[in-house]
Amino acid sequence: MSDGALTVLDGNHLRAIDLSLPEAEVSLTGAQVLDLADSKASSSLFGLSLPQNLKSSALKRISLQDDDVFRLKELDREQALKVITDYITAIADELKDDPLVISVLDGYTLRLFLEDEDDFAMLAENLFTDLDVEDTGKINKNEIRNALVHMGVEMGVPPISEFPPLSDILKKHEADGEEELGQAQFAELLQPVLQELSEALAKKHFVFIQNIKIVNGSKLRKLLADEKQLNIIVEKILEDKHQGKDGSGNAERIRSFLEKNGTELGLPPSEANEAVALLYDAVFADLEEAGEDKFGNLVKQILEKFAEQLEASPVFHDI
C-alpha cells in the first residue's frame, strides 16, 4: 500500500486470522484473552489501534460484559479460544456493517520530496512563507513544529502527539529554541528532520483513521430483514405523506422523506456529494405509482433498490 493511500477495513482482513493460543498457557484470565484478541486484530489491520467504540460494539454483539468480574475470571483453553473467536468475528461483522477508512504513513511521500531537490526547495520556501506571517524574513527555530503541522498527514507527516519518535527527532535537532532562522537556515534544519522522520516511519508505520464514512447497504439490509421495523418506517412515511398539502405522488413523498431521514436507515446524506444525488435519481427512475394498499410494497421496493445499488457501488462521504 502506498503512503497515505486509502484502505477500506470491512472485516475481510480478520476472516482468515490465526486464532491459536500461546502453547505454554493452560489458562488465561478474561483480561488476557481480550488483550490477545485485540493484538491479533490490530496486527491484521496494519497495526491500527482498535477504536474503543468498535471494541465496545463487538463485545455487545456477543453479549460479553467487559467488567472486573470477567477480566479476573480464569478461562481454560477451550473457553479462551471461544471468546477470542466470537470477539474477533464480532469485530469483523461490525466492520462489515460500518467500515473504517484508513491511511498508512510509511515515509514514502517524504522520501519523494527529499529525493527531488527542486520539490524540497519549493516545499521549504512555501512553509517558510506561511510561517513568516510578519514578512520579516526570519522565523524562530521552534516554528519547525508548526511547519510539520502545516504539512500534516496529507504530506506524510503524522501528528507529533501521536508519533513519539517525531518528538525525539525534534529534540535531537534542538528544534524548540528561540534562535531566529532565515529561509536557507530553515531548509537546512527541515531536511534532516524530514529525513529521519521518513526513516522512522519506514521502521514503524503510522496508521490513522480517515474522517470518511462508507455506506454499503449493510444497515439497510438489516432493516429490510426486520418486518416490524420496516412497517414502522412505512407508517412514518405515510404519516409524513398525509401531512403534506402539495399533492405530490407517492414516490415523490417517499423520496422527500428519505432525503430528510435516510441516514437513520442506512442511506448516505442526500446533500453529501454528487454521487448521492445520482444514486437517488437512479433509484427513483421509472418507478410506477402505487395506491395506498400497495404503499408498503413501494417503500420496500425502493429500499431494496438502494441496498442493491449501495452494495454494488458503496458511497464514500466526509464525516
Side-chain angles (χ1 to χ4, degrees), residues 187-208:
E188 286 173 11
L189 175 60
L190 180 66
Q191 188 167 18
V193 167
L194 294 184
Q195 182 65 51
E196 291 184 31
L197 175 57
S198 72
E199 292 167 3
L201 286 167
K203 291 177 185 172
K204 181 178 172 56
H205 299 172
F206 177 74
V207 186
F208 65 99

PDB file of all heavy atoms in Angstrom, residues 187-208:
ATOM      1  N   ALA A 187      15.539  25.666   5.855  1.00  0.00           N
ATOM      2  CA  ALA A 187      15.586  24.499   4.963  1.00  0.00           C
ATOM      3  C   ALA A 187      16.649  23.505   5.425  1.00  0.00           C
ATOM      4  O   ALA A 187      16.440  22.281   5.363  1.00  0.00           O
ATOM      5  CB  ALA A 187      15.863  24.945   3.526  1.00  0.00           C
ATOM      6  N   GLU A 188      17.790  24.038   5.917  1.00  0.00           N
ATOM      7  CA  GLU A 188      18.875  23.171   6.405  1.00  0.00           C
ATOM      8  C   GLU A 188      18.451  22.376   7.638  1.00  0.00           C
ATOM      9  O   GLU A 188      18.923  21.259   7.860  1.00  0.00           O
ATOM     10  CB  GLU A 188      20.111  24.024   6.739  1.00  0.00           C
ATOM     11  CG  GLU A 188      20.845  24.533   5.507  1.00  0.00           C
ATOM     12  CD  GLU A 188      21.952  25.515   5.874  1.00  0.00           C
ATOM     13  OE1 GLU A 188      22.274  25.624   7.085  1.00  0.00           O
ATOM     14  OE2 GLU A 188      22.482  26.183   4.966  1.00  0.00           O
ATOM     15  N   LEU A 189      17.573  22.958   8.449  1.00  0.00           N
ATOM     16  CA  LEU A 189      17.066  22.246   9.627  1.00  0.00           C
ATOM     17  C   LEU A 189      15.956  21.273   9.240  1.00  0.00           C
ATOM     18  O   LEU A 189      15.891  20.140   9.732  1.00  0.00           O
ATOM     19  CB  LEU A 189      16.525  23.252  10.653  1.00  0.00           C
ATOM     20  CG  LEU A 189      15.838  22.663  11.891  1.00  0.00           C
ATOM     21  CD1 LEU A 189      16.787  21.778  12.693  1.00  0.00           C
ATOM     22  CD2 LEU A 189      15.268  23.767  12.773  1.00  0.00           C
ATOM     23  N   LEU A 190      15.080  21.706   8.325  1.00  0.00           N
ATOM     24  CA  LEU A 190      13.935  20.882   7.935  1.00  0.00           C
ATOM     25  C   LEU A 190      14.378  19.582   7.268  1.00  0.00           C
ATOM     26  O   LEU A 190      13.810  18.515   7.518  1.00  0.00           O
ATOM     27  CB  LEU A 190      13.026  21.673   6.981  1.00  0.00           C
ATOM     28  CG  LEU A 190      11.770  20.961   6.469  1.00  0.00           C
ATOM     29  CD1 LEU A 190      10.805  20.687   7.622  1.00  0.00           C
ATOM     30  CD2 LEU A 190      11.075  21.796   5.387  1.00  0.00           C
ATOM     31  N   GLN A 191      15.401  19.642   6.449  1.00  0.00           N
ATOM     32  CA  GLN A 191      15.814  18.478   5.660  1.00  0.00           C
ATOM     33  C   GLN A 191      16.193  17.269   6.524  1.00  0.00           C
ATOM     34  O   GLN A 191      15.643  16.176   6.317  1.00  0.00           O
ATOM     35  CB  GLN A 191      16.960  18.849   4.721  1.00  0.00           C
ATOM     36  CG  GLN A 191      17.288  17.731   3.736  1.00  0.00           C
ATOM     37  CD  GLN A 191      18.188  18.205   2.612  1.00  0.00           C
ATOM     38  OE1 GLN A 191      18.844  19.240   2.717  1.00  0.00           O
ATOM     39  NE2 GLN A 191      18.211  17.472   1.520  1.00  0.00           N
ATOM     40  N   PRO A 192      17.110  17.406   7.512  1.00  0.00           N
ATOM     41  CA  PRO A 192      17.440  16.221   8.315  1.00  0.00           C
ATOM     42  C   PRO A 192      16.278  15.751   9.186  1.00  0.00           C
ATOM     43  O   PRO A 192      16.151  14.555   9.460  1.00  0.00           O
ATOM     44  CB  PRO A 192      18.627  16.688   9.172  1.00  0.00           C
ATOM     45  CG  PRO A 192      18.549  18.172   9.188  1.00  0.00           C
ATOM     46  CD  PRO A 192      17.955  18.560   7.863  1.00  0.00           C
ATOM     47  N   VAL A 193      15.422  16.688   9.615  1.00  0.00           N
ATOM     48  CA  VAL A 193      14.243  16.293  10.413  1.00  0.00           C
ATOM     49  C   VAL A 193      13.334  15.391   9.571  1.00  0.00           C
ATOM     50  O   VAL A 193      12.901  14.319  10.020  1.00  0.00           O
ATOM     51  CB  VAL A 193      13.474  17.539  10.926  1.00  0.00           C
ATOM     52  CG1 VAL A 193      12.100  17.128  11.476  1.00  0.00           C
ATOM     53  CG2 VAL A 193      14.269  18.264  12.002  1.00  0.00           C
ATOM     54  N   LEU A 194      13.061  15.813   8.331  1.00  0.00           N
ATOM     55  CA  LEU A 194      12.197  15.007   7.461  1.00  0.00           C
ATOM     56  C   LEU A 194      12.875  13.704   7.061  1.00  0.00           C
ATOM     57  O   LEU A 194      12.214  12.665   6.933  1.00  0.00           O
ATOM     58  CB  LEU A 194      11.807  15.800   6.210  1.00  0.00           C
ATOM     59  CG  LEU A 194      10.916  17.026   6.418  1.00  0.00           C
ATOM     60  CD1 LEU A 194      10.543  17.644   5.085  1.00  0.00           C
ATOM     61  CD2 LEU A 194       9.668  16.683   7.214  1.00  0.00           C
ATOM     62  N   GLN A 195      14.203  13.739   6.886  1.00  0.00           N
ATOM     63  CA  GLN A 195      14.943  12.534   6.528  1.00  0.00           C
ATOM     64  C   GLN A 195      14.820  11.479   7.627  1.00  0.00           C
ATOM     65  O   GLN A 195      14.510  10.316   7.369  1.00  0.00           O
ATOM     66  CB  GLN A 195      16.426  12.869   6.299  1.00  0.00           C
ATOM     67  CG  GLN A 195      17.276  11.680   5.862  1.00  0.00           C
ATOM     68  CD  GLN A 195      16.877  11.143   4.504  1.00  0.00           C
ATOM     69  OE1 GLN A 195      16.775  11.898   3.533  1.00  0.00           O
ATOM     70  NE2 GLN A 195      16.651   9.838   4.415  1.00  0.00           N
ATOM     71  N   GLU A 196      15.039  11.916   8.867  1.00  0.00           N
ATOM     72  CA  GLU A 196      14.957  10.973   9.984  1.00  0.00           C
ATOM     73  C   GLU A 196      13.520  10.525  10.234  1.00  0.00           C
ATOM     74  O   GLU A 196      13.281   9.383  10.630  1.00  0.00           O
ATOM     75  CB  GLU A 196      15.570  11.602  11.241  1.00  0.00           C
ATOM     76  CG  GLU A 196      17.084  11.770  11.121  1.00  0.00           C
ATOM     77  CD  GLU A 196      17.718  12.305  12.398  1.00  0.00           C
ATOM     78  OE1 GLU A 196      17.190  12.009  13.501  1.00  0.00           O
ATOM     79  OE2 GLU A 196      18.738  13.013  12.286  1.00  0.00           O
ATOM     80  N   LEU A 197      12.568  11.425   9.991  1.00  0.00           N
ATOM     81  CA  LEU A 197      11.160  11.045  10.143  1.00  0.00           C
ATOM     82  C   LEU A 197      10.792   9.980   9.116  1.00  0.00           C
ATOM     83  O   LEU A 197      10.104   9.003   9.447  1.00  0.00           O
ATOM     84  CB  LEU A 197      10.260  12.268   9.990  1.00  0.00           C
ATOM     85  CG  LEU A 197       8.747  11.999  10.000  1.00  0.00           C
ATOM     86  CD1 LEU A 197       8.318  11.284  11.283  1.00  0.00           C
ATOM     87  CD2 LEU A 197       7.965  13.304   9.828  1.00  0.00           C
ATOM     88  N   SER A 198      11.239  10.130   7.874  1.00  0.00           N
ATOM     89  CA  SER A 198      10.927   9.136   6.850  1.00  0.00           C
ATOM     90  C   SER A 198      11.519   7.776   7.211  1.00  0.00           C
ATOM     91  O   SER A 198      10.895   6.731   6.993  1.00  0.00           O
ATOM     92  CB  SER A 198      11.428   9.595   5.475  1.00  0.00           C
ATOM     93  OG  SER A 198      12.830   9.525   5.384  1.00  0.00           O
ATOM     94  N   GLU A 199      12.736   7.794   7.802  1.00  0.00           N
ATOM     95  CA  GLU A 199      13.364   6.536   8.221  1.00  0.00           C
ATOM     96  C   GLU A 199      12.606   5.908   9.387  1.00  0.00           C
ATOM     97  O   GLU A 199      12.435   4.679   9.445  1.00  0.00           O
ATOM     98  CB  GLU A 199      14.822   6.801   8.610  1.00  0.00           C
ATOM     99  CG  GLU A 199      15.700   7.189   7.414  1.00  0.00           C
ATOM    100  CD  GLU A 199      17.051   7.765   7.821  1.00  0.00           C
ATOM    101  OE1 GLU A 199      17.327   7.814   9.047  1.00  0.00           O
ATOM    102  OE2 GLU A 199      17.831   8.163   6.927  1.00  0.00           O
ATOM    103  N   ALA A 200      12.136   6.761  10.327  1.00  0.00           N
ATOM    104  CA  ALA A 200      11.374   6.254  11.473  1.00  0.00           C
ATOM    105  C   ALA A 200      10.053   5.637  11.021  1.00  0.00           C
ATOM    106  O   ALA A 200       9.627   4.589  11.528  1.00  0.00           O
ATOM    107  CB  ALA A 200      11.117   7.386  12.474  1.00  0.00           C
ATOM    108  N   LEU A 201       9.399   6.278  10.039  1.00  0.00           N
ATOM    109  CA  LEU A 201       8.125   5.755   9.530  1.00  0.00           C
ATOM    110  C   LEU A 201       8.322   4.463   8.742  1.00  0.00           C
ATOM    111  O   LEU A 201       7.443   3.606   8.724  1.00  0.00           O
ATOM    112  CB  LEU A 201       7.442   6.803   8.643  1.00  0.00           C
ATOM    113  CG  LEU A 201       6.815   7.992   9.378  1.00  0.00           C
ATOM    114  CD1 LEU A 201       6.450   9.097   8.396  1.00  0.00           C
ATOM    115  CD2 LEU A 201       5.578   7.561  10.163  1.00  0.00           C
ATOM    116  N   ALA A 202       9.478   4.334   8.089  1.00  0.00           N
ATOM    117  CA  ALA A 202       9.769   3.097   7.359  1.00  0.00           C
ATOM    118  C   ALA A 202       9.895   1.929   8.332  1.00  0.00           C
ATOM    119  O   ALA A 202       9.499   0.796   8.021  1.00  0.00           O
ATOM    120  CB  ALA A 202      11.053   3.257   6.548  1.00  0.00           C
ATOM    121  N   LYS A 203      10.426   2.214   9.538  1.00  0.00           N
ATOM    122  CA  LYS A 203      10.575   1.162  10.552  1.00  0.00           C
ATOM    123  C   LYS A 203       9.260   0.888  11.279  1.00  0.00           C
ATOM    124  O   LYS A 203       8.924  -0.252  11.582  1.00  0.00           O
ATOM    125  CB  LYS A 203      11.640   1.576  11.575  1.00  0.00           C
ATOM    126  CG  LYS A 203      13.057   1.618  11.027  1.00  0.00           C
ATOM    127  CD  LYS A 203      14.024   2.106  12.100  1.00  0.00           C
ATOM    128  CE  LYS A 203      15.426   2.280  11.545  1.00  0.00           C
ATOM    129  NZ  LYS A 203      16.331   2.929  12.523  1.00  0.00           N
ATOM    130  N   LYS A 204       8.541   1.954  11.600  1.00  0.00           N
ATOM    131  CA  LYS A 204       7.278   1.824  12.336  1.00  0.00           C
ATOM    132  C   LYS A 204       6.225   2.686  11.652  1.00  0.00           C
ATOM    133  O   LYS A 204       6.236   3.908  11.786  1.00  0.00           O
ATOM    134  CB  LYS A 204       7.456   2.257  13.800  1.00  0.00           C
ATOM    135  CG  LYS A 204       6.186   2.133  14.629  1.00  0.00           C
ATOM    136  CD  LYS A 204       6.445   2.538  16.079  1.00  0.00           C
ATOM    137  CE  LYS A 204       5.161   2.627  16.899  1.00  0.00           C
ATOM    138  NZ  LYS A 204       4.376   1.396  16.898  1.00  0.00           N
ATOM    139  N   HIS A 205       5.360   2.045  10.893  1.00  0.00           N
ATOM    140  CA  HIS A 205       4.341   2.780  10.147  1.00  0.00           C
ATOM    141  C   HIS A 205       3.351   3.458  11.096  1.00  0.00           C
ATOM    142  O   HIS A 205       3.089   2.963  12.195  1.00  0.00           O
ATOM    143  CB  HIS A 205       3.577   1.853   9.206  1.00  0.00           C
ATOM    144  CG  HIS A 205       4.453   1.209   8.180  1.00  0.00           C
ATOM    145  ND1 HIS A 205       3.996   0.216   7.334  1.00  0.00           N
ATOM    146  CD2 HIS A 205       5.747   1.405   7.846  1.00  0.00           C
ATOM    147  CE1 HIS A 205       4.979  -0.161   6.535  1.00  0.00           C
ATOM    148  NE2 HIS A 205       6.046   0.531   6.829  1.00  0.00           N
ATOM    149  N   PHE A 206       2.791   4.572  10.629  1.00  0.00           N
ATOM    150  CA  PHE A 206       1.753   5.254  11.392  1.00  0.00           C
ATOM    151  C   PHE A 206       0.421   5.054  10.675  1.00  0.00           C
ATOM    152  O   PHE A 206       0.280   5.397   9.499  1.00  0.00           O
ATOM    153  CB  PHE A 206       2.061   6.750  11.521  1.00  0.00           C
ATOM    154  CG  PHE A 206       0.992   7.532  12.239  1.00  0.00           C
ATOM    155  CD1 PHE A 206       0.848   7.432  13.617  1.00  0.00           C
ATOM    156  CD2 PHE A 206       0.108   8.341  11.544  1.00  0.00           C
ATOM    157  CE1 PHE A 206      -0.144   8.145  14.285  1.00  0.00           C
ATOM    158  CE2 PHE A 206      -0.882   9.052  12.198  1.00  0.00           C
ATOM    159  CZ  PHE A 206      -1.003   8.948  13.571  1.00  0.00           C
ATOM    160  N   VAL A 207      -0.533   4.473  11.379  1.00  0.00           N
ATOM    161  CA  VAL A 207      -1.845   4.180  10.799  1.00  0.00           C
ATOM    162  C   VAL A 207      -2.879   5.117  11.416  1.00  0.00           C
ATOM    163  O   VAL A 207      -2.931   5.261  12.644  1.00  0.00           O
ATOM    164  CB  VAL A 207      -2.260   2.717  11.076  1.00  0.00           C
ATOM    165  CG1 VAL A 207      -3.553   2.381  10.341  1.00  0.00           C
ATOM    166  CG2 VAL A 207      -1.154   1.754  10.674  1.00  0.00           C
ATOM    167  N   PHE A 208      -3.687   5.744  10.596  1.00  0.00           N
ATOM    168  CA  PHE A 208      -4.718   6.634  11.149  1.00  0.00           C
ATOM    169  C   PHE A 208      -6.030   6.458  10.398  1.00  0.00           C
ATOM    170  O   PHE A 208      -6.052   6.054   9.226  1.00  0.00           O
ATOM    171  CB  PHE A 208      -4.266   8.097  11.123  1.00  0.00           C
ATOM    172  CG  PHE A 208      -4.080   8.670   9.744  1.00  0.00           C
ATOM    173  CD1 PHE A 208      -5.066   9.447   9.154  1.00  0.00           C
ATOM    174  CD2 PHE A 208      -2.911   8.437   9.028  1.00  0.00           C
ATOM    175  CE1 PHE A 208      -4.896   9.979   7.885  1.00  0.00           C
ATOM    176  CE2 PHE A 208      -2.731   8.964   7.758  1.00  0.00           C
ATOM    177  CZ  PHE A 208      -3.723   9.740   7.196  1.00  0.00           C
TER     178      PHE A 208
END
